[in-house]
């Protein structure tokens, strides 16, 4: 953004504002300048000095900034306040209303050449699209935000980069999401750009893809770094998100009580900040922890609460994902018909490009329910669909178990060779989780 517009543009602006106020060129010029000088300024034949422009602005009763670049005084501050309001609307679960506000703010910021405010509006639009499950649209908004911030320091670009990585992750592109996040982490740490908020955001975001890829050791290390960075971070919502992500690694290590405590901290922060969708996701995660710990009644309560809250906020993709976890608990509690109905209802919201890992989980569970009902043909069909989704996403963490289920089914129906192929596929994913899909770990932060 140049410090001021070209002389011709400023000249036309001066002439328009003078005419609106009913002033003559002499009245505008006096006492410091001549009418002839004002005439040359209005014609764009001279590049007025800052002192001259300040005199003219004062006589016109406008701010220097408005005269020099056509931007109303305090516009940037006003836009930032309105961005905060749009963020509050999104936090309240009203994603579509927030998106309309962000779109208006983006257009206004673009019209006045405010790149940072435009990028903030694009980030908001991306978050709205993520919440409503429009992943391609979200990715486009985050990419545009990165373009607006090109040339700015990496910590400032991290939220847009992280948003793009999350969109790829939710679309089932796990390896590419990890690549984006690890590349940014490596650049921050090797370059000595020790920004606690940026690092915490990246470490909290990379845990989910690590876990789904079976890279449990790397997920645990990211959680360790995130916990160490938390006291230096200034954003409570970011700290809450970190606690929610870290709980997954604690649970994988068998530390259920610590995982529950971490989620309790996150939930308290979300309640205080009134972040409804995030609070719903916290109930979802607590239900998952309870289910893994064998507390099925409590798990059902937590997951039903999450499902209801996400339905109210119209966070369709997250609601469908929570429904898969709820269906698993319902099945384990003997409510298989309700579980199957719930899974069939939500499968239409998934695809290979949208929620692939949870879509695979839905097919896996429908296969188990079909096996219980002795419908081996339907069970096999669901297992094969789940296998295809997981292989495409690179979600090695769940592939081994699914291959075992499919192999057992094939063996029981007399197809021994096919069963052996399924078992071998599963063993290939079990040998060294994560090491076949990830390169060297990113540089560590200077803790």
């Amino acid at each position: 953004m140049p410090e001021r517009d070209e002389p011709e543009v400023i000249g036309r602006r001066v002439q328009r504002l003078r005419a609106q106020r009913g002033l003559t060129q002499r009245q505008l010029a006096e006492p410091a300048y001549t009418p002839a000088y004002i005439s040359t300024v209005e014609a764009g034949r001279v590049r007025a000095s800052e002192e001259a422009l300040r005199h003219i602005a004062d006589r016109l009763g406008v701010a220097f900034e408005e005269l020099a670049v056509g931007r109303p005084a305090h516009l940037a501050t006003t836009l930032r306040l309105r961005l905060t309001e749009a963020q509050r609307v999104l936090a309240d679960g009203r994603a579509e209303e927030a998106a309309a506000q962000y779109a208006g703010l983006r257009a206004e910021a673009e019209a006045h050449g405010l790149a940072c405010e435009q990028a903030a509006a694009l980030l908001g639009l991306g978050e709205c699209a993520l919440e409503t499950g429009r992943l391609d649209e979200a990715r486009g908004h985050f990419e545009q935000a990165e373009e607006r911030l090109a040339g700015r320091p990496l910590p400032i670009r991290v939220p847009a980069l992280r948003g793009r990585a999350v969109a790829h992750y939710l679309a089932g592109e796990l390896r590419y999401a990890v690549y984006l996040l690890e590349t940014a982490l490596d650049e921050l740490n090797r370059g000595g750009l020790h920004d606690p908020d940026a690092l915490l955001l990246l470490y909290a975001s990379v845990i989910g893809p690590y876990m789904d890829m079976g890279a449990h050791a790397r997920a645990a290390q990211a959680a360790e770094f995130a916990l160490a960075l938390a006291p230096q971070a200034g954003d409570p919502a970011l700290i809450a998100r970190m606690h929610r992500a870290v709980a997954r690694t604690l649970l994988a290590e068998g530390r259920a009580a610590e995982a529950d405590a971490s989620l309790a901290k996150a939930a308290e922060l979300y309640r205080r900040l009134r972040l409804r969708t995030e609070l719903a996701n916290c109930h979802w995660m607590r239900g998952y922890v309870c289910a893994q710990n064998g507390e099925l009644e409590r798990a059902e309560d937590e997951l039903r609460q999450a499902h209801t809250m996400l339905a109210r906020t119209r966070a369709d993709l997250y609601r469908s994902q929570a429904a898969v976890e709820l269906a698993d608990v319902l099945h384990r509690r003997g409510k298989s018909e309700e579980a199957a109905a719930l899974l069939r209802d939500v499968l239409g919201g998934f695809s290979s490009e949208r929620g692939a890992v949870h879509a695979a989980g839905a097919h896996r569970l429908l296969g188990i329910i079909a096996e219980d009902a002795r419908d081996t043909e339907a069970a096999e069909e669901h297992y094969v669909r789940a296998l295809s989704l997981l292989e495409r996403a690179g979600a090695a963490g769940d592939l081994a178990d699914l291959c075992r289920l499919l192999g057992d089914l094939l063996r029981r129906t007399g197809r021994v060779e096919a069963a052996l192929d399924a078992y071998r596929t599963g063993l290939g994913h079990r040998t060294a989780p994560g090491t076949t899909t990830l390169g060297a770990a990113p540089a560590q932060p200077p803790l």
Side-chain angles (χ1 to χ4, degrees), residues 109-165:
E110 188 171 13
H112 293 286
L114 293 168
C116 287
E117 286 72 19
Q118 191 182 350
L122 285 164
L123 280 173
L125 284 167
E127 292 295 338
C128 291
L130 279 184
E131 187 151 316
T132 51
R134 301 193 298 270
L135 301 182
D136 287 340
E137 184 180 320
R139 192 159 51 242
H141 288 313
F142 291 127
E143 286 171 354
Q144 289 179 58
E146 284 188 86
E147 289 170 8
R148 299 303 180 277
L149 296 172
R152 302 298 297 274
L154 179 57
I156 293 175
R157 291 184 279 117
V158 158
L161 189 149
R162 173 259 172 198
R164 187 156 59 96

Side-chain angles (χ1 to χ4, degrees), residues 172-190:
E173 298 162 9
L174 276 61
R175 277 169 286 194
Y176 188 61
V178 166
Y179 164 77
L180 289 173
L181 295 166
E182 284 194 341
T183 301
L185 282 166
D186 204 45
E187 188 176 341
L188 280 172
N189 290 328
R190 289 189 189 280

